[in-house]
Amino acid sequence: MKNALYKNIDICADYTSIPTKMANTNKTLGEFIIENQEEFRYSSGELSRLINSIRLAAKVVNHEVNKAGLVDILGAAGETNIQGEDQQKLDVYANEAFIKTLTNREIVCGIASEEEDDFITIKGRNEKNDNKYIVLIDPLDGSSNIDVNVSVGTIFSIYRRVTPSGTPVTIDDFLQQGNRQVAAGYIVYGTSTMIVYTTGHGVNGFTLNPAIGTYYLSHPNMKFPEDGRIYSVNEGNYVHFPQGIKDYIKYCQKEEGDRPYTSRYIGSLVSDFHRNMIKGGIYIYPNTAKDPNGKLRLLYECNPMAFLAEQAGGKASNGFERILDIQPTELHQRIPFICGSKNMVLKAEEFMQNA
Ligand code: AHM
Ligand code: MG
């Protein structure tokens, strides 16, 4: 028995022989991008290259996140971001890694990041402003979890610019409704590293085989179960929640039918969302007395997650209206967020609207 156990450990030490879905016969992310290129509305190959560059930056950040604890990358960088929050060293590292990778490829004309005060303008070939795509990014979400080895993630959102090519980007290029996203996704740096993304044709998930640095299609056509039994909310803030959310939480806890539901809250949106999409559940970050607009950012967090949720058959709302139809008014705007299995979100909305 003991020998058998050691034998397994030996096998697992060699990632290339893990006999799972990640077996090298699965389609790679690179192959998948090429095969599905014609699905893109404007298929010039640029969006494929853009997603490829996100894949590359994700590998670099993944490498660094996995070293945390061994090298001096943990803790605060001594600066605060525009929202007045402490920036962690890894936040800063991830921000730079994504911006650098996205800048050098003549595809992106503007980037807005949760970690930057203002948007960044990027010139194309020969200093012309003729690149097409806008990227909004939360480089390292859930960063309060980094120090304690709990999953964190990157969230990205891609739009086409709305101002004319040849002119510098303006704030209007960034303040687009979420329903205009051409692609969105996240990377979860968890027990394994995954990229999950959509270009408006369903949601697919790819797992990194760290031994050879390749992402394999491990979760094709991901779908939120219509109903779920998990609710994810920071109940520590309960007394400050709006009455509708308090009522919904009591409903989740009531012994009736398939209830009570289970409470699961990691405090990393990407990880909570990922689990709920696989198992069925609802994520809620409401407005509170302290934060009248909630905590999460419409452009960097809620819109991309809402696009993914809808593409996976789920739903995302602020309690009263569809997240993707909200007209943003500022770059770092916050919004209450309810997202997950369709019937659970509908029920939460019912409580919000009847409170
Ligand atoms: P961040 O972008 O500063 O990391 O904040 C976003 C995170 C989400 O990932 C998470 O769901 C939420 O904040 C947790 O907030 P709280 O600790 O208030 O529950
Ligand atoms: Mg964040």
Side-chain angles (χ1 to χ4, degrees), residues 114-115 138 140-143 155 269 296-297 300-301:
E114 193 183 296
E115 301 299 336
D138 182 355
L140 213 57
D141 183 67
S143 46
I155 307 172
L269 170 62
L296 301 184
R297 291 75 169 175
Y300 312 110
E301 292 160 332

Side-chain angles (χ1 to χ4, degrees), residues 24-264:
N24 300 347
T25 49
N26 274 29
K27 195 169 288 177
T28 68
L29 174 54
E31 288 167 339
F32 184 89
I33 291 171
I34 293 166
E35 275 177 31
N36 291 282
Q37 189 172 305
E38 70 281 2
E39 277 185 353
F40 301 152
R41 242 164 90 205
Y42 319 88
S43 113
S44 61
E46 281 165 295
L47 186 58
S48 301
R49 281 174 44 227
L50 176 47
I51 291 169
N52 246 320
S53 64
I54 289 174
R55 167 180 76 153
L56 177 63
K59 274 190 213 169
V60 174
V61 172
N62 175 61
H63 183 68
E64 209 60 22
V65 167
N66 284 326
K67 282 196 314 206
L70 287 174
V71 292
D72 182 29
I73 193 106
L74 291 177
E79 288 169 23
T80 49
N81 65 14
I82 180 100
Q83 4 252 337
E85 298 154 339
D86 284 342
Q87 284 185 316
Q88 304 286 312
K89 287 180 193 165
L90 263 175
D91 284 1
V92 175
Y93 180 89
N95 188 44
E96 282 171 8
F98 276 98
I99 291 175
K100 260 191 213 151
T101 315
L102 293 168
T103 301
N104 296 328
R105 290 187 158 67
E106 290 164 3
I107 309 165
V108 177
C109 51
I111 300 176
S113 161
E114 193 183 296
E115 301 299 336
E116 301 282 337
D117 298 0
D118 208 348
F119 63 82
I120 300 167
T121 305
I122 298 167
K123 289 194 172 161
R125 199 188 300 254
N126 302 327
E127 294 288 288
K128 286 189 182 155
N129 289 294
D130 53 1
N131 295 343
K132 288 197 191 91
Y133 289 99
I134 298 289
V135 179
L136 294 117
I137 192 152
D138 182 355
L140 213 57
D141 183 67
S143 46
S144 64
N145 281 320
I146 297 169
D147 285 6
V148 288
N149 214 347
V150 172
S151 301
V152 289
T154 296
I155 307 172
F156 61 90
S157 169
I158 302 173
Y159 296 79
R160 282 173 71 89
R161 66 180 300 172
V162 289
T163 51
S165 176
T167 61
V169 287
T170 74
I171 187 72
D172 293 340
D173 292 307
F174 297 90
L175 300 184
Q176 299 189 49
Q177 288 180 356
N179 56 34
R180 304 194 59 145
Q181 288 172 100
V182 292
Y186 59 78
I187 297 123
V188 55
Y189 310 99
T191 43
S192 54
T193 297
M194 284 189 69
I195 292 189
V196 175
Y197 78 97
T198 182
T199 55
H201 301 272
V203 177
N204 291 284
F206 300 81
T207 304
L208 179 68
N209 181 337
I212 50 177
T214 303
Y215 289 94
Y216 289 96
L217 178 61
S218 51
H219 295 66
N221 197 17
M222 297 178 84
K223 290 280 173 220
F224 261 101
E226 273 202 0
D227 293 288
R229 298 198 55 251
I230 295 173
Y231 71 100
S232 315
V233 60
N234 186 343
E235 281 182 82
N237 297 328
Y238 182 87
V239 291
H240 303 294
F241 286 165
Q243 192 55 44
I245 295 298
K246 285 183 178 170
D247 294 343
Y248 179 68
I249 291 173
K250 286 292 159 222
Y251 166 87
C252 294
Q253 295 169 340
K254 195 169 177 196
E255 204 146 344
E256 195 175 301
D258 63 345
R259 287 170 285 141
Y261 295 155
T262 299
S263 166
R264 290 280 182 275

